[in-house]
Amino acid sequence: MSYERLLPHIIEFVQIEDRFIKNEALDFAKLSFYDWLIVSCAGKNEPVAQIIRDYVSSESGVEIATVTGSSRKFPARAAALANGTISHALDYDDTHFLYVGHPSVAIFPSVLAVAQELNVTIESICKAFLIGAEVACRIGLALGRKHYNAGFHQTATSGCFGATAALARLYKFNERELRMALGLASTKASGLKSQFGTMGKPYNAGVAAANAVEACWLAQKGFTSAYDGIGGFQGYLLSHHSMDPRDIKISLEIGHTDFKFVDIKYKLHACCHGTHAMIEALKTVIEKNELTADNISQLLVVVNPRWLSVCNIQKPKTGLEIKFSFSFIAAMVFYQIDTASPKVYNDKLCQNEKIVALAEKVEVSAKDSLHDGQTILSVITKNGKTFEAKFDIMKPINKSELKDRLLSKAETLVGNRKANNIWKTLTESDNSRADEIAHFLI
């Protein structure tokens, strides 16, 4: 069976030599590191951030790693838990649509924590992350749509395996240690989409990061696990709704020098990535035709079916739920509320009469022929005219333009000075140490 071929494939990839790591992929890893640091800093005052800091503070422990928003240091596992949660608090981090997961928030928190423990460089951090992100993509692809559609949150499930692989790379595990760590990850990896719109969603990312630190620490000490916890008898693939060997076959066909991470997509709006194509299409059609909220009779939005169970909350009750509501976000665009600002997604907006009234005119449907990044919409005005638009967020953005947009996003979130200081530290010397970059999280 192809199930049992996946783990050897993953092990071989995790242990590839540095010379096979492509510079283009590493460049994107650095962009993601920058983006992750920025959204982490921006999320440090969120309620969930304070709660998770209080929790790790209550446990105390050996001082190793930095936690966002705290001048103290904590054990690596605690820091990974806190930073994974905090960095996903705003839901403003990168997304990989190959498996529909957020790689950075599950992997960088664990990598940075262990990097501080080992005192390694930024270059080592980014290389380890890249390996982990690739593993998350490949295992996520093998798990397939059935896993996601069954209700599992791939950021947390596939992300846990990715984070474990990244740490194994940092620790320079041999094959047995890597097998044991991934085996332990297979019995820990968890996370449900039912948590979307609550603090449980960012917590999923934190748990994935913390689980990876725990699994690698134990494996390093000789703790044993299933020899193949991923594709073996009653392993993760078969027990977590991965029932299609074709998905695994596609994953196995990815070469060890074929880095899928370069297809990573960055959020330029502070809401679920599934809504971004709609936002871009809507802005275009509104500007082109000078449409206003007052003359709208109906808005028809067509998306890939997967998004109906993710970001189609029709009557959100909290600011967090608004981030997963096509109808409310569409209304926000019409009323020129800045969807790029995290501050606008608040509980009070749920009761805004104008927003509520316009949201009721939005009808969302699905079409199988659309991929995850496509949206088609029709705006019908009160005088019977129809204006159509479409957008595809999968289309590549020029790297220079992408850098500028990420810097602009960063300046909005943390201010010009901090945004540029972090960028300078990341880009001017690959030999800067983990503590130097982690200091920006305080």
Side-chain angles (χ1 to χ4, degrees):
M1 285 290 288
S2 56
Y3 299 107
E4 295 176 352
R5 293 170 53 201
L6 185 61
L7 182 57
H9 177 79
I10 295 298
I11 290 173
E12 287 177 7
F13 174 72
V14 174
Q15 296 180 328
I16 65 169
E17 296 177 27
D18 280 359
R19 63 192 175 94
F20 293 117
I21 296 177
K22 293 183 178 179
N23 289 333
E24 181 190 16
L26 195 56
D27 287 344
F28 276 103
K30 289 179 181 178
L31 283 178
S32 283
F33 195 16
Y34 180 70
D35 190 59
W36 177 77
L37 288 162
I38 293 299
V39 297
S40 298
C41 293
K44 69 180 182 181
N45 293 322
E46 291 295 298
V48 68
Q50 185 59 59
I51 294 170
I52 203 69
R53 276 195 301 268
D54 288 346
Y55 172 67
V56 296
S57 295
S58 71
E59 289 192 320
S60 191
V62 60
E63 297 181 354
I64 292 175
T66 302
V67 163
T68 305
S70 175
S71 58
R72 288 180 53 192
K73 285 190 174 182
F74 297 84
R77 182 186 177 283
L81 174 66
N83 288 338
T85 303
I86 295 169
S87 61
H88 201 40
L90 297 178
D91 214 320
Y92 213 170
D93 44 283
D94 57 14
T95 306
H96 206 295
F97 287 93
L98 185 66
Y99 70 109
V100 191
H102 302 275
S104 290
V105 292
I107 301 172
F108 271 126
S110 57
V111 170
L112 183 58
V114 170
Q116 288 186 265
E117 174 191 343
L118 300 178
N119 190 32
V120 301
T121 64
I122 288 174
E123 183 178 25
S124 296
I125 291 170
C126 290
K127 285 180 177 177
F129 165 79
L130 180 58
I131 293 296
E134 284 291 324
V135 169
C137 285
R138 293 162 198 235
I139 290 182
L141 183 59
L143 285 167
R145 293 292 179 95
K146 290 184 178 180
H147 175 75
Y148 187 87
N149 292 339
F152 291 104
H153 186 193
Q154 285 265 47
T155 297
T157 57
S158 300
C160 179
F161 290 108
T164 302
L167 298 189
R169 181 81 179 192
L170 276 183
Y171 281 127
K172 299 179 180 178
F173 277 1
N174 59 37
E175 180 179 336
R176 176 174 172 76
E177 289 170 326
L178 181 51
R179 274 186 178 273
M180 294 303 103
L182 289 171
L184 292 172
S186 72
T187 206
K188 294 281 288 184
S190 59
L192 298 176
K193 290 194 303 181
S194 61
Q195 298 294 336
F196 288 9
T198 75
M199 292 181 182
K201 185 175 191 282
Y203 179 65
N204 282 348
V207 168
N211 283 342
V213 175
E214 182 178 320
C216 286
W217 193 95
L218 293 171
Q220 194 173 208
K221 299 299 181 182
F223 206 94
T224 62
S225 74
Y227 188 70
D228 183 355
I230 296 176
F233 175 67
Q234 294 188 330
Y236 203 86
L237 293 177
L238 286 170
S239 61
H240 283 70
H241 293 271
S242 176
M243 307 301 289
D244 192 342
R246 290 174 297 180
D247 293 328
I248 299 170
K249 184 176 183 292
I250 294 170
S251 184
L252 288 170
E253 289 173 349
I254 301 174
H256 290 337
T257 59
D258 183 10
F259 285 84
K260 296 297 183 182
F261 185 71
V262 297
D263 294 325
I264 191 70
K265 303 302 175 187
Y266 298 97
K267 283 191 174 184
L268 302 172
H269 304 280
C271 49
C272 179
H273 225 143
T275 67
H276 288 206
M278 178 195 71
I279 293 171
E280 298 292 345
L282 204 49
K283 284 188 171 185
T284 299
V285 75
I286 289 172
E287 182 178 352
K288 184 178 179 180
N289 301 287
E290 298 182 350
L291 300 174
T292 65
D294 295 333
N295 65 5
I296 300 305
S297 172
Q298 191 175 22
L299 171 62
L300 306 177
V301 179
V302 186
V303 297
N304 178 279
R306 100 158 49 237
W307 297 120
L308 295 184
S309 63
V310 176
C311 45
N312 194 31
I313 298 176
Q314 296 178 351
K315 295 182 179 180
K317 298 180 179 62
T318 66
L320 280 174
E321 288 189 345
I322 291 175
K323 294 183 178 185
F324 299 90
S325 174
F326 279 116
S327 58
F328 259 66
I329 292 171
M332 290 166 64
V333 175
F334 270 107
Y335 280 106
Q336 299 182 344
I337 296 174
D338 186 9
T339 53
S341 171
K343 295 179 181 179
V344 303
Y345 301 88
N346 55 63
D347 296 356
K348 186 177 180 181
L349 191 62
C350 296
Q351 309 303 322
N352 185 302
E353 292 182 2
K354 289 184 177 180
I355 297 293
V356 172
L358 186 51
E360 290 176 350
K361 298 178 181 180
V362 179
E363 181 181 323
V364 183
S365 61
K367 183 181 285 188
D368 288 327
S369 60
L370 296 180
H371 64 62
D372 291 331
Q374 291 178 305
T375 292
I376 298 172
L377 55 82
S378 300
V379 182
I380 304 170
T381 62
K382 290 179 179 177
N383 62 6
K385 291 185 177 180
T386 299
F387 300 91
E388 297 182 343
K390 59 184 177 180
F391 198 85
D392 184 356
I393 62 172
M394 296 301 190
K395 290 184 177 179
I397 299 177
N398 176 277
K399 194 176 291 186
S400 177
E401 180 186 350
L402 177 59
K403 172 193 166 184
D404 290 343
R405 294 190 72 175
L406 286 177
L407 284 169
S408 177
K409 167 185 172 178
E411 290 169 2
T412 299
L413 292 177
V414 301
N416 181 277
R417 182 178 179 182
K418 189 165 189 173
N420 284 287
N421 283 341
I422 295 175
W423 181 259
K424 183 178 178 181
T425 303
L426 270 180
T427 57
E428 288 195 353
S429 175
D430 284 339
N431 293 319
S432 296
R433 298 285 163 173
D435 275 343
E436 294 178 58
I437 199 69
H439 179 74
F440 286 110
L441 295 176
I442 298 174

